[in-house]
Amino acid sequence: QVQLVESGGGSVQPGGALRLSCGASGFAMENYAIAWFRQAPGKEREGVSCITRGDEPKYYLDSMKGRFTVSRDNVKNTVYLQMNALNPEDTAVYYCAAARGGINWCSTVSARYSYWGQGTQVSVSL
């Protein structure tokens, strides 16, 4: 059974950091492009970042560049999203998703992804 599980969410103050993890079971993540999405209350889901099967290139939403870093550990079958300098606008449920694609492909379009995790809450406030 294919399953993705996110972890690492929580509550932090502005300027704080969190590292989200996306673990997989039932398939090898190294064969998939992985993306992170988020959905804030009352807003549509948006693509945050993605990482290709080949590890590079990686893509980030403009507002995340320089603050967020996506990486993968194929031995642990896990993808990470390191989030630094968090601000209240980053408050959302964060999801990881997996999709088949070429070695240099990934996308932040949600419709391209077949497998999804259940999400982890990130809250940034004073």
Side-chain angles (χ1 to χ4, degrees), residues 3-125:
Q3 190 174 15
L4 291 171
V5 178
E6 302 94 337
S7 60
S11 297
V12 296
Q13 293 185 344
L18 287 171
R19 187 177 79 158
L20 305 183
S21 298
C22 174
S25 59
F27 70 100
M29 293 184 93
E30 63 183 343
N31 296 325
Y32 288 76
I34 305 296
W36 287 94
F37 296 84
R38 70 183 186 183
Q39 188 165 20
K43 295 186 177 180
E44 293 192 354
R45 186 174 297 182
E46 64 177 351
V48 171
S49 178
C50 69
I51 184 168
T52 65
R53 286 169 48 206
D55 200 53
E56 293 288 348
K58 302 170 184 173
Y59 296 98
Y60 301 94
L61 196 63
D62 283 347
S63 60
M64 283 73 178
K65 290 179 181 177
R67 299 192 300 126
F68 289 12
T69 303
V70 63
S71 61
R72 63 164 72 228
D73 184 333
N74 291 331
V75 173
K76 294 183 178 179
N77 215 27
T78 300
V79 170
Y80 304 98
L81 184 67
Q82 177 67 44
M83 306 187 297
N84 298 328
L86 287 164
N87 59 64
E89 290 70 38
D90 295 316
T91 295
V93 177
Y94 285 70
Y95 301 88
C96 64
R100 286 281 199 178
I103 194 167
N104 294 320
W105 175 88
C106 73
S107 171
T108 53
V109 175
S110 60
R112 300 297 303 273
Y113 289 82
S114 303
Y115 305 114
W116 291 79
Q118 82 293 344
T120 186
Q121 176 70 49
V122 171
S123 298
V124 185
S125 64

